[in-house]
Every structure is written in C-alpha cells, then in structure tokens.
Amino acid sequence: MSFKRNDSQQLTLHDSFINLSPRSQKMLRNSWCQEFADIVFPAINEDRFSVLYSDQKFSRPNTPVNFIIGALMLKEEHGLSDEELVASICFDVRYQYALHTTQLEEQSVSDRTFSRFRERIAQFEQETGRNLLDEEMGQLNGVYAEYMQLKGNIKRMDSLMVASRCKRMTRLEIVYATCAKAVKLMHRLGADALLPDTFRHYLDEEDYNKIVYYCKGDDVESRLEQALQEASTIEKAMEGAHWHEHTEYQLLARVIREQAERKEDGSLSPKDKSEITADSMQNPSDPDATFRRKAGQEHKGYVLNVVETVGETGSLVTGISYEPNTYSDSQFCRDYIHSKEAVPLEEREPEIMIADGAYGGADNRKLAEENKIELVVTSLAGKETDEIFAGFTFAEEGTKVTQCPQGHAPKKTTYYPKTGMCRVKFSKLHCGACPYKDRCKAKEQRKDYAVHVSQKMADRANYLRKMSTEEYRKLARKRNAIEGVPSVLRRKYHIDDIPTLGKLRSKAFVICKVMAYNFNKLRKYIRTQRDNCPLLPVTE
C-alpha cells in the first residue's frame, strides 16, 4: 500500500452537505463538526505518517491519514466502537462534514481501516521507539495553543492509573496458561514428539478447569510446583534457537525466572510470595502490565502521566508519558526535565512546573533548577524536618558545618559518608542557654553539645520556608485544577476500558483520548469567545 496525500475535496452534485436544507446546514455549522472541519482536520500532518507505507507509487493508495486520525479522535470524543464509528461515517453527515468526505458517494472506510492503522503505529514504535501519534498530538497542540493565544510558562503534572483488561490470575493460573501457550505452539508447528505424551493434557479444552478451577486450597502449592516442573521440561524441549524467537518461549522463560527458584538437584520450587516482584507477569495475554498498590487500592496495568500547560485563556494537555504502573512519579519528573535537554540551555525560557509531593525530592529540585525549571510541589514526601535546620551553613560540599542558626561556629564536625550526616559539637556556653536547642535536638555531652545535621536536611528546611510564603502558596493552588483531567478521562473517555492488551497497542487509544480531550478544550474556548462577543462568526 503506497502513501498518497489527501490534498483536495471536490464538490459534486451528490455532495451530502449542499443537498441539505438551509436550516439543516445552519444547525450543522453551529455544531462541533464545524470547528473540527476548519481547525483540526487541515492541521493534521499526513507526511509524518508516510513511513508507515510503501514507497511503490503504483501500488494501491492508502486511506487518507488525516481522515483516519480525525476519525479516531471523533471515535473517542463520542465513545464509539470501531464498528459504530464506521456506521457513523457512512450514515451521519456531521462526521462526513468534519472529515471532508461529503463529496463521496461511498465512504472509503472498512471495519479494518482503523485497527490496521493502529497496528502500523505500534509496530513502528516497537522498531524505532517513535510514536507518530504522540508527535502528531504535539503538533496539533501547537495549533490549538496559537488559536487560543495560550502563552503560559506555567505547567502542572499529575498521573493516573490505567487498568488493563486482562483477567486477574493466581500464580498457578499464570504458570499453567504460559505452559499451555507453549505446548499449543509446538503442536501447531508439528513438534509434539519433543514432549512426553503426558503433556498432551494442555491441548484439552477442559484441562484448565481440572487443573486450576477445581483445585482445592490445600492442593494449590503442590499443583504449582508440578506446573513449574512441567514448565522446565517444556523449556528444555524448546532449546533450539528457532524457538527463542517465539513470544510463547520468551514468556515461558520469564515465568520460570519470576516464579521459581532452582534447587541443588536442578528441580524447581515456587518462590515465596514475598520474593515475587511487582513487575512480574500478571497475565501472559498482557505481559507488559504490572502490579501496584496505591492509596490502599490494588492496580493492574499502566500509569499515564499528564503535563498540562496553563495560561490566562485556558489550558491544554501538552505532554503525556505511558508506562507500566510500577513507574514512579519521581521518575516521570526526571524524564520530563531530561526531555528539555534537546534544546540548548541558553535558548530555553524559564518554566514553572507544579506537582504534588511525589514528584519532588532534593535531586529532582536540583535537576530542575539546572534546567531553568522551578519545581513547585504542594508537599514534601519523607521525614519531617524542623525549619530551624535551614539556619545551618555548610562548606566543603556539605561535609563541614561552619555556623549554627544563632551564628556560632562549631568546635568540631565529623562527617559520615555512608549516611551523609554530620555530627557537630558546640560549646556548652553557646548551646546551654540557646532557645532553639530542643528544636535542633542538641544532646548534652560531658564537655559540649552534639547536633546531627546534613546538607539535605538544611536544603529541605530551606524549601519548607519557601513553601510557607504567600507567593509559593498561590502557585501551589494552581495544581488543584489538574485533578479534573484524570476524572474526565475516566468518566467521559473510559480510559480504564481500552479494548486491547499490551502497552504499545493500548497507547494508541490513550493518545487519541487525550487528543479528543484537547479538542474539547479548544471548543470550550471558542464557545466562551462567542458568548463574550455574539457578533463573531461561527469560526474565524
């Protein structure tokens, strides 16, 4: 299939729009499809996606890329399935008007148009690490921001859990399902002779119920150990290099590595539950999904990190990251800061990033400061620190204390590299009558007072002082609005009900949902402008 641009739309006598009555045309222009047709559709960069298609000019041309991407956005905006989207495009003039296809007697779309496109997107990202939909969202955001006159240097960040649709499995189910997939692969490729006949039970449709469903609680451990032994036998039977290329073998090797430990005699035994890590496989149907407990709830799947740009005229989601849910908020923050390094430091404009305490930390604040980003967090995670420690001054890269909050120099400083702490001795003459000695937790010794303090404690205390200022609190309050983004993505866009499995495949749905969310932000701005000035035309 070759790539061809969708350059023009020619009016015909059968055009579904011009054959509407004037009243119907007016109603259509006052609906969502007018903004989409005039602003969004023309801004889609088709050339970006040419790498997904053949360069053979004489092969069958592709379905227009701007048509596909626009349709995928409308699908998420209106909560449609692929089948419902195809029907809407074929029979609803609003979709045809928004996608510039009113001139066609028959819409060039099938039930596989969108699934094949998503497959191409996922395969290209797997091969190159680039997600073309994500790049396109960035370009459209630039168009929206210019249209909305959004010129703010304030950004805010938050994350939300995205559930996987894969079934929740026990350890026995995970091992059994992985073994069954490997045995069925060998059977399909005519390699039954490599395994004993006793393994043919995996080919029986009722075998799952016999092994797993009817297994009593007392038998689970022994069944799990038996399943692991069979997994080991299957793995040995697939020792040839040609087997290693198959996903079934890779999953089998992974489940043995994660769920079992090898005894001295070479046999396998189940690992203790406490040794199973959160990034272990939750279901062989969705091997990318991970497990995490957050706020007292268990989550299986992924985590979406959202970066929202805030201005006086509105806000837009201008960046996302999508990872297994074991990925921490702190790491998302570091990734965002590192992404700025592509632009030379002298060319960057100062930026304010507002987030909750999970994104903070001394290392992240330092990294942000080095990259012209002021990291504003609403709270600090970790052990509480008294603000009095902000008065300690350090020298020699935090290994020596030169002065206490009262301005007294210490008698001696002992630095402990392992903990980063300094044990500082002060004269009894200075500490004995000091009003802050209890807050410093100074301990009286035979000849002096000892205080334990570190550079990190002083930095944290200084930051706490900064957080107590009214200017800082005013900035921190701007973060509250981003809590609405996860709420809308769940309630309106059903982000926890993505009809596919795997990180790369589900990511395409997530990006399209965020693109639809931003289109709604654009429409809200247009409606607000129109309400404030009724004489404005429907679109500019």
Side-chain angles (χ1 to χ4, degrees), residues 263-326:
K263 299 179 182 178
E264 293 182 359
D265 61 358
S267 62
L268 298 179
S269 64
K271 285 184 178 180
D272 189 80
K273 288 182 180 180
S274 61
E275 298 179 27
I276 305 298
T277 59
D279 60 352
S280 64
M281 186 163 58
Q282 304 297 303
N283 188 315
S285 298
D286 193 355
D288 299 326
T290 52
F291 176 82
R292 182 175 176 181
R293 284 190 179 90
K294 186 175 181 180
Q297 294 184 342
E298 296 182 352
H299 301 272
K300 177 182 84 276
Y302 306 92
V303 59
L304 173 66
N305 191 69
V306 175
V307 178
E308 189 177 29
T309 299
V310 186
E312 295 181 359
T313 58
S315 63
L316 287 171
V317 174
T318 52
I320 65 167
S321 298
Y322 188 63
E323 299 291 344
N325 65 15
T326 52

Side-chain angles (χ1 to χ4, degrees), residues 10-11 20 49 53 59 97 122 174 200 220 248 322 360 378 383 418 448 470 506 532 537:
Q10 296 179 348
L11 292 178
L20 293 175
F49 299 87
Y53 301 95
S59 59
Y97 187 85
I174 293 171
R200 296 188 65 83
V220 171
E248 289 84 350
Y322 188 63
T378 55
K383 189 177 180 181
K418 189 174 182 180
D448 43 43
E470 183 56 34
S506 61
N532 292 337

Side-chain angles (χ1 to χ4, degrees), residues 326-341:
T326 52
Y327 217 77
S328 69
D329 289 346
S330 179
Q331 185 60 52
F332 276 126
C333 184
R334 287 193 291 274
D335 291 347
Y336 174 79
I337 297 170
H338 286 308
S339 70
K340 298 293 183 179
E341 294 174 355

Side-chain angles (χ1 to χ4, degrees), residues 191-208:
D192 292 329
L194 296 177
L195 290 172
D197 291 340
T198 54
F199 281 71
R200 296 188 65 83
H201 68 88
Y202 283 106
L203 303 176
D204 184 1
E205 293 182 0
E206 297 297 324
D207 187 58
Y208 173 83

